Amino acid sequence: ASTERTVTLTLKGKDDSMTTTLTVSQSGVTPTLVIKKEGDFVFEKVSNNAITFMIESNTSWSFSNVPDWLNLAIPSGNGYKMNSFKTVSDNPWGFKREAEITLSGVGVDPIVFKVEQKGAEEYMDFSTTNVSLGKKAGSSATIAINTNIKWRVIGYKGKLKIEPMEGLGSSDIVFTTTADNATSNPIQEIVNIMGMGIVVIQKTTTNELSASQSNLLLGKEAGNSATLNIVSNTNWHLEGHEGNLVITP
């Protein structure tokens, strides 16, 4: 045993008139605690994958920090024990999951060791890769990302607000314009999410073309002029004028 053993004896005289108490102690062996196993604690991605190991000890011991995706056959005990871990679920993530487990014993330093479960095959797709937004600031649209990995928006330009910019697993992503499109052409933006391009198009404003008046009266003398105000958000030109007029622009 690893603990000290003690016996109390009473020494008495012939007529029991004299007594002396003696304490006899035997030291315990040095406490030991060892995990015996070939290789690392690496589990397959599926459930019910078990790894067996041996605990060699002469003291009491217990485990802590066991992750919820592992089942431990014997959480605590004393002395030598054959023990095992078993996965309780598939790993749904596209990366390994891992944890550090502590085995503690009386009179010995704790043993900290790593366990990991292999990841599933990665996947990532979107409900659509084309997003259409209105011409006004504050116009928004939502797409869904379906994935089992950590993801983030790598880069984009333009006047867009994207929420969230990163995440773990499936999520909705909201695209919102931060400014009006005051041009006559749609604004196109490519948003890069983990190497996949999402095409975002902000619609154009309605084409506008109007003149301040429909009739201009000029004097009979050469060089007489008048001004016409044109309001437009698109290209325009004048047609049908005679050669005795100079129009600028």
Side-chain angles (χ1 to χ4, degrees):
S2 60
T3 56
E4 183 181 76
R5 296 190 293 189
T6 302
V7 177
T8 301
L9 303 176
T10 302
L11 177 63
K12 296 183 178 181
K14 183 178 180 180
D15 56 359
D16 293 337
S17 59
M18 298 177 62
T19 61
T20 300
T21 300
L22 301 176
T23 300
V24 180
S25 299
Q26 182 183 21
S27 299
V29 297
T30 301
T32 60
L33 180 61
V34 178
I35 294 178
K36 286 294 184 70
K37 179 195 171 298
E38 292 185 4
D40 299 324
F41 286 93
V42 179
F43 298 85
E44 297 300 323
K45 64 183 179 181
V46 297
S47 62
N48 296 317
N49 181 227
I51 293 179
T52 300
F53 59 98
M54 185 71 184
I55 297 177
E56 296 182 355
S57 179
N58 59 3
T59 186
S60 58
W61 45 262
S62 63
F63 289 86
S64 59
N65 302 323
V66 178
D68 57 7
W69 47 269
L70 276 183
N71 174 263
L72 175 59
I74 307 174
S76 61
N78 192 299
Y80 281 61
K81 285 287 189 302
M82 186 68 73
N83 212 339
S84 66
F85 288 110
K86 181 187 290 186
T87 56
V88 298
S89 63
D90 293 359
N91 182 3
W93 300 108
F95 51 86
K96 68 181 180 181
R97 52 185 178 183
E98 55 189 0
E100 287 190 342
I101 296 176
T102 301
L103 173 60
S104 303
V106 175
V108 296
D109 292 332
I111 300 172
V112 179
F113 59 97
K114 182 183 290 185
V115 294
E116 64 179 59
Q117 185 181 19
K118 296 177 182 179
E121 184 177 352
E122 295 183 7
Y123 63 86
M124 184 175 69
D125 55 64
F126 299 89
S127 57
T128 180
T129 55
N130 294 285
V131 178
S132 179
L133 299 173
K135 63 183 180 180
K136 294 293 186 180
S139 174
S140 65
T142 301
I143 68 171
I145 178 174
N146 179 37
T147 185
N148 66 346
I149 64 172
K150 296 176 182 178
W151 58 268
R152 63 188 178 90
V153 177
I154 297 175
Y156 68 98
K157 299 177 182 178
K159 297 178 180 180
L160 276 178
K161 180 181 180 182
I162 303 175
E163 293 180 311
M165 289 287 289
E166 60 184 358
L168 172 60
S170 300
S171 175
D172 286 339
I173 305 176
V174 181
F175 298 83
T176 305
T177 57
T178 58
D180 293 354
N181 179 3
T183 72
S184 59
N185 298 311
I187 298 175
Q188 178 175 299
E189 174 70 34
I190 305 297
V191 177
N192 187 337
I193 301 178
M194 301 299 288
M196 296 187 67
I198 306 298
V199 180
V200 181
I201 296 178
Q202 185 179 10
K203 298 176 182 178
T204 180
T205 57
T206 303
N207 288 340
E208 183 179 358
L209 179 62
S210 64
S212 58
Q213 51 188 309
S214 57
N215 294 289
L216 285 179
L217 180 62
L218 298 176
K220 62 183 180 180
E221 296 84 3
N224 194 256
S225 65
T227 300
L228 177 68
N229 292 323
I230 296 175
V231 177
S232 178
N233 62 356
T234 187
N235 296 330
W236 57 268
H237 65 278
L238 290 171
E239 294 180 348
H241 62 83
E242 298 295 336
N244 58 355
L245 278 177
V246 176
I247 302 173
T248 56

